[in-house]
Amino acid sequence: MTSPTPAGAPALIAMRGIVKRFGEFTANAGIDLDIVAGEAHALLGENGAGKSTLVKILYGLLEPTEGEIRLDGRPICFEDPEAARAAGIGMVFQHFSLFDNLTVAENIALVLPRGEKLAGLGARIEAVTKRYGLKLEANRPVWTLSAGERQRIEIARCLLQDPKLIVLDEPTSVLTPQEAETLFATLDVLRAEGRAILYISHRLEEVRRLCNRATVLRAGRVVATCDPREQSARALAAMMVGSHIVDVRAKPADAAGPERLRVEQLSLPAEDMHGVCLVDVSMQVRAGEVFGLAGIAGNGQDELFAALSGERLAAQSGAVRIDGISVGRDNITLRRQYGAAFVPEERNGHAAAPDFTLSQNVILSRHATGGVTSGAFVDLPAARALARDIIKDFDVRASGADPAARTLSGGNLQKFLVGREISRNPSVLVLNQPTWGVDASASAAIRQLLIDLARQGSAVLVISQDLDELFEISDRMAVIHDGRVSQALIARNTTREEIGLLMGGADMTKAIHAH
Amino acid sequence: MRIDLEARSAPSKVIEFCAPLLALCAAVLIGGGCIALLGKSPVDAFSVYFVAPLAEIWSLQEVAVKAGPLILIAIGLSFCYRANLWNIGAEGQFVMGGLAGGMIAIATFDGAGQGVFGSFWILPAMLIAGTLAGLAYALIPAILKVKLGVSEILTSLMLVYIAEIILDYLVRGRLRDPKGFNFPQSVPFDDVARLPFLMEGERLHGGILLALLAVAIAAVVMRRTLFGFDVRLVGSAPKAARFAGFSDARVTLAVFAISGGAAGLAGVCEVAGQIGQLQPVISPGYGFAAIIVAFLGRLQPVGILIAGFVLSLTTIGGEGAQISMKVPLDMTRAFQGILLMCVLAADVFTRYRMRISFGGRA
């Protein structure tokens, strides 16, 4: 199927028959894609559909096995991203490609064409960031910045190159609704200037708001092209997964049960001078409810997660209580033994060891709560059996009996990791960004699991940047901003705008319907 | 031109098994080339290197005698390297172990201090003292790292030179044999302070048995215990190890204690087995060569066992080549380096496929 180009408009970029194989695996199986100047073109597909591979080929990071790319009608073959940038293709990655030890300005200078003068770069950065509303301090080292700020560097350094085509990979995942609107306004301006935009997102509402054309990939092939404004989000999602998406059953919680997780005046100093400190955080999560904590990345979510899990200890043991037991000074192992379970944001490297097998990753978080050890020894057969059960019960797609964690796709690994904790029947479950970078069907499955767990009497705390997700599953919500947590709001009595204002730092003392 | 390394989806078992052998072949080819450039016959050289030491009982024993300390130290180091901690100072821990054990032998020389207990405890006490001394000496860089964040690479390496100087000072001073014509060496140890020889009148002593025992214990600990899991996890994904509830500091102290203890034990075995007295220098560089052994053996206990014998073989063969063919000793060292490079390169190629492409700019 070839994409219909708007009548008369010559393609800026024409990709023809793009094939990319990695060993026996075919990531792209003959993809055609046209992008014309001034359009916002969405690239949709589940994780593993081949979007990233296609974009990397376009940006000169990968070489296609077969196929041809034409820019303004001339065949091209980018040897590296520098060549792609010189030809006018800019890229904003989902996973940031920044050097942590360098400053904002140095990171931007790195991608400038060779020979460009560094003098006056600071002023140019300031001009661009001001014009597009990207708040950045040029001399801050990157390691001190939040994910949101890091993304702004990526956007700024892309815009400094004056690109003809801008590729954005999941750009709004770290923005508030209001910030996202500002970004859309920026993108509209860029389009009006005649630049093309290739927009990759899981957020279908956003795609419908922003894009005038969409190409849907599934298993390395183009399965549909359409005008997303004429389709419902559900219809787009169905094209992506090739089947009907099941709605999450979000029946309201029964009468609130007893309090299972209590945080009381938890304060935690920042780990370094640019880190976020937690200030007087108080909240309660009760049996039977899903509690959603919204907030933009880098506002203390990671610090709060570490304080709740016991990876960092509070000053007072009463600051964190699990089922009435003060655990603020206890380590993560003890907290697990009291019945709590945790799912951190970063799958590979934090929640799981990428080079370890799934059964070894079961031992990772469950060695202290029985079943996979006997005395000082690990019980490998028991761990393998448990991993098999998790794979089966939580519908994890994995190749081989006990593969390494890194070989699973993001969605499947996340299902495994959530399943690893839920299968223990925890009394308290704390998750940080549980569906970040997870495809639509896996996200829906995970949300359903969280609701089901809560309805069985557990307390579930979900820290997320995805407001759609939080509104879908939360009974109560609060917002974390600059290390402070707002009062809790009843989710069905509040609006995205209200939460969005709190996320942007509106005065918390004026929090609206206190619960 | 662009060189890409593409990860292989699943490295084949056959290749994984053959890679070290292919690496050995490649090293022999490169080494042979070097020897040919020296104007000697590579075929003769390699028969001296690899075949001659295996042809006679005495040289076979010599290979095992040298392999013992290499294996014992490398087994200990593999715990550190698995946890991504860099103990470069096994040489110093070896020296301290030999010194501590040797001091007991000297204190009990000629029946002194044996009293009613007899002499059966002397050798076990030496082995324990040597192990503890190496362990304690290795804990210095570990504690500095845990408490103050000092790089363990630098401190463990620098402590080697301190240990060597302490040994040298004591052997020239307080520990010198008063009847030894002023030679800088201690009294020869009593038989009760010597490791028994495995065969009457030969040179192979009990140290090799301790090395084999260490291999067996390490294999079980690494694969089967929660501690081994912990060590591998800390090395592979430190943040995940903290999430698992394992303490970095505890692992750091434990693996340094293990590697220091093993090196100390190797040191006391060397003085109680091979040398039989304290001398200003008791190690021909075992502590450093063991680093090569640990990596040649891919940090796996059985691999280290094999690698220890291979490296020992090239050392003995190198000595033979030096005597019979006048090939310089540096050639032996260079060959050991070439061998390590080839093994590491083979490791990369089992996991990645190299693709060289020539493409023009747009």
Side-chain angles (χ1 to χ4, degrees), chain B:
Chain B
M1 189 181 90
R2 175 155 88 182
I3 300 175
D4 286 321
L5 284 180
E6 288 178 1
R8 294 177 197 265
S9 45
S12 104
K13 292 279 168 210
V14 180
I15 291 183
E16 235 168 56
F17 180 79
C18 292
L21 298 176
L22 290 174
L24 188 62
C25 295
V28 165
L29 286 178
I30 298 171
C34 295
I35 288 171
L37 287 176
L38 287 172
K40 322 255 179 204
S41 153
V43 177
D44 291 353
F46 281 112
S47 84
V48 173
Y49 264 91
F50 290 112
V51 182
L54 300 176
E56 288 179 65
I57 292 289
W58 73 266
S59 54
L60 270 175
Q61 284 195 47
E62 213 53 34
V63 169
V65 164
K66 276 211 180 336
L70 289 174
I71 293 167
L72 194 50
I73 300 169
I75 285 286
L77 289 178
S78 69
F79 280 83
C80 273
Y81 300 159
R82 276 299 187 92
N84 230 351
L85 290 162
W86 302 96
N87 180 1
I88 309 295
E91 180 83 356
Q93 294 139 25
F94 178 97
V95 166
M96 287 316 242
L99 176 61
M103 285 169 79
I104 291 182
I106 293 164
T108 58
F109 176 63
D110 208 12
Q114 290 180 10
V116 291
F117 297 113
S119 58
F120 69 92
W121 58 274
I122 293 177
L123 185 64
M126 286 170 66
L127 295 178
I128 292 169
T131 306
L132 290 180
L135 185 154
Y137 204 61
L139 281 180
I140 299 172
I143 290 171
L144 285 172
K145 178 173 180 78
V146 168
K147 293 284 173 201
L148 302 171
V150 182
S151 163
E152 78 280 13
I153 303 177
L154 292 177
T155 49
S156 65
L157 178 61
M158 290 192 292
L159 282 165
V160 171
Y161 305 112
I162 296 174
E164 287 175 347
I165 287 169
I166 290 174
L167 174 70
D168 186 87
Y169 168 77
L170 288 175
V171 170
R172 289 174 197 280
R174 301 194 46 173
L175 299 180
R176 189 168 53 180
D177 180 1
K179 298 179 188 149
F181 307 105
N182 252 351
F183 282 111
Q185 58 191 30
S186 77
V187 293
F189 298 169
D190 291 336
D191 280 350
V192 293
R194 297 293 302 267
L195 274 174
F197 291 100
L198 295 185
M199 282 170 281
E200 200 60 41
E202 301 284 355
R203 288 179 32 85
L204 187 61
H205 58 77
I208 187 72
L209 296 181
L210 289 173
L212 294 175
L213 185 66
V215 169
I217 293 174
V220 173
V221 168
M222 270 298 180
R223 299 287 342 156
R224 294 280 163 182
T225 66
L226 196 56
F227 173 73
F229 181 79
D230 181 357
V231 168
R232 286 184 292 136
L233 186 57
V234 166
S236 177
K239 211 169 160 192
R242 281 194 286 281
F243 179 67
F246 299 128
S247 141
D248 295 356
R250 218 189 50 129
V251 170
T252 304
L253 295 174
V255 295
F256 267 84
I258 290 171
S259 61
L265 181 59
V268 70
C269 286
E270 185 71 5
V271 296
Q274 173 89 330
I275 306 178
Q277 64 179 174
L278 286 185
Q279 297 172 346
V281 174
I282 61 171
S283 167
Y286 286 136
F288 295 117
I291 298 172
I292 301 180
V293 171
F295 281 100
L296 268 182
R298 303 166 156 225
L299 307 182
Q300 306 279 359
V302 176
I304 288 171
L305 180 67
I306 297 167
F309 277 99
V310 169
L311 206 74
S312 173
L313 179 65
T314 61
T315 308
I316 303 288
E319 286 173 1
Q322 197 184 358
I323 294 164
S324 66
M325 297 182 63
K326 311 234 169 351
V327 174
L329 184 63
D330 294 328
M331 189 56 230
T332 303
R333 298 226 177 101
F335 179 73
Q336 290 174 350
I338 292 168
L339 184 57
L340 181 65
M341 292 291 292
C342 289
V343 167
L344 295 180
D347 227 26
V348 170
F349 287 122
T350 30
R351 286 189 293 144
Y352 298 93
R353 173 181 294 120
M354 189 169 71
R355 185 154 290 166
I356 302 174
S357 53
F358 302 88
R361 271 174 190 264

Side-chain angles (χ1 to χ4, degrees), chain A residues 79 336 346 349 364 367 376 378, chain B residues 2 224 226 239-240 243-244 359:
Chain A
E79 192 178 317
R336 286 193 177 117
E346 196 186 343
L364 191 150
H367 61 86
V378 291
Chain B
R2 175 155 88 182
R224 294 280 163 182
L226 196 56
K239 211 169 160 192
F243 179 67

